[in-house]
Amino acid sequence: YLMDNKVKCYTPDFYLEEKDVYLEIKGYWWNRDKEKMDIVIKTYPDKKFIIIEKEEYNKIMRGELVW
């Protein structure tokens, strides 16, 4: 992706091949993370991204949120 006129690399936390979806686990948003993710999503409109934030992650780990 391109940010600040520089080519940068993005590596998602997980790729679920059977669902063709990229998972990003965000415990905390640091610096310009939200901007970066917005750019990545707009750069690859044909890809599906799911962002799991800290509260959702905790619910998954406690068994309260199941996909």
Side-chain angles (χ1 to χ4, degrees):
Y1 66 97
L2 187 64
M3 187 171 182
D4 298 329
N5 292 317
K6 295 179 184 173
V7 175
K8 304 214 176 200
C9 293
Y10 165 71
T11 303
D13 292 321
F14 300 96
Y15 174 65
L16 303 179
E17 186 174 2
E18 66 279 1
K19 301 289 183 184
D20 193 27
V21 66
Y22 295 88
L23 296 180
E24 181 66 31
I25 310 297
K26 294 305 297 179
Y28 297 96
W29 293 98
W30 300 103
N31 303 314
R32 297 172 68 192
D33 283 349
K34 285 185 180 186
E35 181 182 2
K36 174 186 81 173
M37 286 308 303
D38 285 343
I39 292 169
V40 168
I41 290 167
K42 288 177 184 171
T43 301
Y44 301 98
D46 58 321
K47 305 295 182 192
K48 184 174 180 183
F49 296 91
I50 296 177
I51 300 170
I52 300 172
E53 295 191 59
K54 184 178 182 179
E55 186 175 313
E56 294 167 316
Y57 176 79
N58 288 337
K59 286 181 180 180
I60 292 168
M61 295 308 292
R62 290 191 303 262
E64 297 170 11
L65 181 62
V66 179
W67 289 10

